[in-house]
Amino acid sequence: MSHLAYRLNFESAKLAKQAAVEMTKETGIKRYAVGALGPTNRTLSISPSVERPDYRNITFDQLVEAYAEQTKGLLDGGVDVLLVETIFDTANAKAAIFAIQTIFDDGYSEVPVFISGTIVDKSGRTLSGQTAEAFIISVSHGNPLCLGLNCALGASEMRPFIECIGMSTKSFVICYPNAGLPNTFGDYDETPAITGQLLKSFAEDGLVNIVGGCCGTTPDHIRAIAQAVKDCSPRKRPKNVYDDHTLLSGLEPLRIGPFTNFVNIGERCNVAGSSLFCKMIKEDRYEDALNVAKAQVENGAIILDINMDEGMLDGKMAMAKFVNLISSEPDVAKLPLCIDSSNFETLEAGLKCTQGKCIVNSISLKEGEQDFVEKAKKIRRYGAAVIVMAFDEEGQATDIQRKVDICARSYRILVEKVGFNPQDVIFDPNILTIATGMEEHNEYGITYIEATRLIKATLPGCRVSGGVSNFSFSFRGKERVREAMHSVFLYHAIKAGMDMGIVNAGNLPVYSSIEAKLLQLCENLLWNKDPEGTEKLLIYAQEMGKSDKKAVVDDDWRGGDVEDRLEYALVRGIDKYVVDDTEEARADSTKYPRPLNIIEGPLMKGMGVVGDLFGSGKMFLPQVIKSARVMKKAVGYLIPYMEKEREENFRLTGIDDLKSAFTGTVVLATVKGDVHDIGKNIVGVVLGCNNYRVIDLGVMTPCQKILDTAVLEKADFVGLSGLITPSLDEMIHVAKEMERNRMNLPLLIGGATTSKTHTAVKIAPKYSGPTVHVLDASKSVVVCGSLLDPKKKNDFVEEVAEEYQEIREDHYDSLKDRIYVSIEFAREHRLKIDWNEVPPAVPPTFLGRKIFDDYDLSRIIPCIDWKPFFDVWQLRGKYPNRGYPNIFNDATVGVEAKRLFDEGQSMLSRIVSERSLSCRGVLGFWRANAVSDDIHVYDNANNHIETFFGLRQQAEKPANESYFCLSDFVAPKDSGKMDHIGLFAVSCFGVDELCKKFESYDDYNMIMVKALADRLAEAFAEELHTRVRKEFWGYSDDERLTAAEMHKIKYTGIRPAPGYPSQPDHTEKTTMWKLLNADDIGTQLTESLAMIPAASVSGLYFAHPKSTYFATGKLSKDQVVDYARRKGQDVETTEKWLLPVLAYDVN
């Protein structure tokens, strides 16, 4: 029926448009007709023949033609939107985009374009292998109004990938999943209610703008989805998504930004530059040619250059065949390609075969501006970045000013006329050959470097590249000299702003390791410092002989001690002797009693040197990769000895079943976006040698895989590692997802860029489980042991939590230019509770006050938290003896702490028996509703009698996080649901009288009495709150918590107090006292609103399960003015009470 394609689309579009118009008239709500362009039943990236991986049964041009016919039918039929959907192969989508943009350019009125991909399983990839981020980069040149996902997965499986989409685009996000996964019969069992609730959670978390349903969904599903999300706010589009990065993609994304290291473009897949590769292509040995590409990747290439320009080759055919073949090899296809040719048709042949976002190498103004613009427009339509050579109608630029002028002219045309993103413009200011014997060529290196410096300074956003091998072409055949020249040239060019270069990634010597004489000769040649520099370098090269690479084998370093040899091997990536040297070190049991000592000693020292060289620009990524291989080889040699050591330890314990006797299970992963794993591997080795079962998920690990593995393997810990800065954000994301999935496993954070401060400030607050920064491998065993030991765990976790809280406080106190949102913005982003789904707690058992006179101390004492008691006396044990009762075991303060505790117990017994202290309290419940930031309190007849005024957080938070106010935890008045609020005040009386008996002669006992009275008052508040939850309010009547669990706030509800972080305004106590009449029990407020007696506690009760403790933080002027107005106070008075939390200077 292909001959009916236009008519079918035209007629269906007309019907859809007619229906949309009718529904708009009927409902008054604008409806739209969306024309869908599906994936077709062919794929450009996958061969239908296993035997012929380069074969395709469809071409790019055929797909463009088909999509164009369909698009015209839809547009002529009147659709408002074009939707390219269910994309399992991004190359197909690029053909659709090409067709759409061509039609728009031919005169059709433009309509918005939506693009929706399909992730086929939990791997997070399309059928053709792309990740979600790579997919977004590949299709963003289509300027889609919406980007998203549909089909293949249900909402629960799709969530992490939709979240990834939202973090990768400034477009709106569309999501229409299947009704779950199909059952064994291919049917879908997920009900409309389930689908609706799942998508509602997407909307509530700010992930989506448009939602719907795909396979298995019915009209009932769509109705349930619409009902579920009708009150949800749409996702707010981010203002910046890698705006200062060049974004490229293969199967995986590549982002080149201001802090990206030099990008190696592998050069060996070039028939003009490699005679071996050229021979393979000519002899149709494409599998061998593919191995060359693999070797480039293994040697550190970040982008792969492909060139088929050779007189005896059909360049277009060869390019298409090789690019298609690359698609069958994931290890190569993950890289972006640089399609390289002087023939534009050959360039197009390559572009038509790749689903990723490529670089085109190259175009120029050589044939005039019109030709330049036409080619640039086509390249942009294919969705590629472009390299522009410094040529114009007059020829090649050789001096600095001409290079800059031509690049500036090209930049203006591409950005202003063609519409290129500046980040997609890459200039090659011509790396020309030096040392040719012609004097005018001697400064070509200098002109490139200085032109690069000016281009980067004057053309914002652009990148600079170049073909490095040209620089040394006059020394062809002298490979060691050429490689040294390349290393010296790059060392200086990178500092000037060179971002990338076409270079043999595996053959770059480390700048600092170049032999001193050769280095000086190369430096003199580059900077034209020696008129005889060329002749001197030629003499040097001739002295090395024709086979210099084989002749120069310098083993002098083998004469050093084993530590120096290991370091030398690591820095230079030499693995020839590393096993022998590692064994020599292992055999020295005096120096290295354990194999682990070798890893932590000379091996780690050598890797430290590698890191320093890399960071200073004296070492490139390929060398680092080689160093890592040497490290892994050494560690791999040591592992059997470590395993043997572990087994011997087992034998000593008498346990035969080694596999069942692991101390614990840890899941380790380098997070998504990071490929560095040496540190993580060492941690795994160390843990393994200490009897831990280590599950290493490798590098680039998606969040969902980490979580799924932890659950499947019943892990005791999750360990995240990362070296690059973006890894830190991914760690935060993992922490959030662990919290969302209600996990409670300890989360261990490690890696070079991580820190205790970042962990405390950014990661730990996102996860309620234990979160610990592990400084190095040796600390991992201590941390894991402490977290597994039931006697140590609670104190260890508490110790870390307290330390991290102090770090957070210090951090935020140090921020001088904190950003604060307006109070209107904060209110719009308040905590939004679905009061139908999570209704208010049950009504209290009574309304009004209840007084407790002379409360039974025997009920209070078991609730005492003894830790603050020791704090009063400045007795602080060290981990693991931090808290009560472990403090008694502390080597420094344990004995004194035990003596103090015994004397406290003796004093407490006297107090009880002599009734010298007494506890009285009052609590009450009232009807209440929230009105914006305030809580209105009502009497039994529902008359408004008092108002508690609230303060809301204003310090800027990450997107989708709420700005809390206490009123958020009470049902709003407009919800139609009546809620309640509780108040309390408790005190310990008789303290002053008892202290007077000791004051004249016994300071010790006076302090003891006050410390015990404070503990009794706090314990009384804990006891009453327990009875409120279980008896007086009764919303947790099945609660069964120990005192220790209560002290850690394991219960539902909160009891915040005015003057404390959640409501820092002490004047709110006056409203409490009006309602409680707390003076009746003898608890009074001073002029400064302090409570008398000093051993007193008061607060409000909130029962909703979403209620949580928080700190308002600093407050901006706009909120303070509004707060004063609501309270009927002048601003000056309000500022006085709020002075410690003001974000501005009142003076």
Side-chain angles (χ1 to χ4, degrees), residues 201-208 233-236 960:
S201 72
F202 285 29
E204 288 178 332
D205 292 341
L207 304 182
V208 289
S233 299
R235 163 184 172 268
K236 299 217 178 282
N960 303 324

Side-chain angles (χ1 to χ4, degrees), residues 242-282:
Y242 301 109
D243 286 359
D244 57 352
H245 286 63
T246 296
L247 303 179
L248 305 170
S249 62
L251 295 183
E252 296 172 4
L254 172 63
R255 303 179 180 102
I256 304 171
F259 304 107
T260 305
N261 287 315
F262 180 75
V263 175
N264 293 303
I265 303 177
E267 71 170 358
R268 306 311 292 170
C269 295
N270 185 329
V271 295
S274 169
S275 57
L276 181 63
F277 183 79
C278 182
K279 184 178 180 182
M280 292 173 182
I281 297 297
K282 283 183 174 181

Side-chain angles (χ1 to χ4, degrees), residues 820-835:
Y820 297 87
V821 301
S822 69
I823 186 58
E824 289 80 13
F825 182 92
R827 286 171 181 157
E828 289 171 4
H829 295 79
R830 68 190 183 280
L831 176 66
K832 296 174 183 176
I833 296 173
D834 186 332
W835 293 95

Side-chain angles (χ1 to χ4, degrees), residues 23 104 134 138 157 184 202 243 263 315 361 364 437 499 553-554 591 635 791 806 813 886 976 1002 1032 1054-1055 1095:
M23 286 303 297
F104 289 162
S138 299
E157 296 82 17
T184 54
F202 285 29
D243 286 359
V263 175
N361 187 18
S364 74
D499 301 282
V553 179
D554 182 8
K591 203 169 191 179
V635 171
K791 295 180 180 179
E806 291 174 2
D813 286 344
N886 289 3
D1002 193 349
F1032 301 132
I1054 57 174
R1055 59 169 194 270

Side-chain angles (χ1 to χ4, degrees), residues 1034-1102:
Y1035 61 85
S1036 291
D1037 55 358
D1038 59 346
E1039 179 186 293
R1040 300 290 184 272
L1041 296 177
T1042 65
E1045 290 171 329
M1046 287 189 291
H1047 297 153
K1048 293 175 182 176
I1049 318 173
K1050 299 293 185 181
Y1051 47 75
T1052 299
I1054 57 174
R1055 59 169 194 270
Y1060 286 82
S1062 297
Q1063 185 11 314
D1065 182 9
H1066 283 277
T1067 65
E1068 287 299 286
K1069 289 179 188 171
T1070 59
T1071 305
M1072 290 178 59
W1073 255 245
K1074 289 177 187 177
L1075 292 168
L1076 284 172
N1077 289 317
D1079 287 357
D1080 290 352
I1081 65 167
T1083 306
Q1084 300 175 323
L1085 297 174
T1086 67
E1087 186 174 296
S1088 60
L1089 299 179
M1091 290 181 288
I1092 300 174
S1096 298
V1097 181
S1098 66
L1100 293 81
Y1101 292 130
F1102 293 84

Side-chain angles (χ1 to χ4, degrees), residues 552-752:
V552 181
V553 179
D554 182 8
D555 281 348
D556 289 348
W557 63 280
R558 301 295 304 155
D561 60 35
V562 70
E563 289 80 11
D564 290 340
R565 298 199 304 269
L566 285 171
E567 178 180 319
Y568 187 98
L570 284 164
V571 172
R572 286 157 180 80
I574 302 170
D575 65 355
K576 181 178 179 180
Y577 307 102
V578 71
V579 169
D580 293 340
D581 290 342
T582 303
E583 168 57 26
E584 182 180 334
R586 191 193 67 81
D588 189 351
S589 58
T590 302
K591 203 169 191 179
Y592 302 109
R594 302 179 62 197
L596 178 62
N597 302 143
I598 301 168
I599 295 174
E600 295 183 329
L603 292 178
M604 286 305 295
K605 180 185 175 186
M607 289 307 295
V609 176
V610 170
D612 291 341
L613 290 170
F614 184 53
S616 63
K618 297 179 180 179
M619 198 170 183
F620 302 114
L621 186 59
Q623 289 83 47
V624 176
I625 292 174
K626 289 180 179 178
S627 298
R629 287 178 178 167
V630 177
M631 179 71 172
K632 287 181 179 180
K633 191 170 184 178
V635 171
Y637 176 77
L638 292 171
I639 283 177
Y641 296 100
M642 294 178 172
E643 288 292 326
K644 183 179 179 181
E645 181 183 69
R646 183 177 68 83
E647 291 175 8
E648 289 174 353
N649 289 337
F650 270 128
R651 291 191 185 94
L652 291 175
T653 67
I655 300 174
D656 295 327
D657 186 3
L658 302 183
K659 290 185 178 179
S660 66
F662 287 110
T663 303
T665 297
V666 56
V667 171
L668 295 179
T670 299
V671 295
K672 186 178 73 172
D674 204 326
V675 297
H676 302 88
D677 66 348
I678 296 174
K680 170 179 63 64
N681 292 346
I682 293 171
V683 169
V685 170
V686 172
L687 288 173
C689 291
N690 283 273
N691 195 32
Y692 285 86
R693 176 172 169 249
V694 178
I695 300 169
D696 189 339
L697 298 181
V699 302
M700 296 283 291
T701 313
C703 171
Q704 197 62 43
K705 184 177 180 181
I706 297 171
L707 272 55
D708 290 345
T709 305
V711 173
L712 180 66
E713 300 291 345
K714 299 179 180 178
D716 298 293
F717 314 94
V718 170
L720 304 181
S721 177
L723 179 65
I724 58 176
T725 303
S727 301
L728 302 178
D729 290 334
E730 181 64 18
M731 290 177 180
I732 295 170
H733 172 64
V734 174
K736 287 180 178 178
E737 286 298 289
M738 291 178 71
E739 180 70 14
R740 186 179 67 82
N741 285 276
R742 300 180 180 177
M743 300 177 75
N744 59 7
L745 298 177
L747 177 60
L748 311 181
I749 304 296

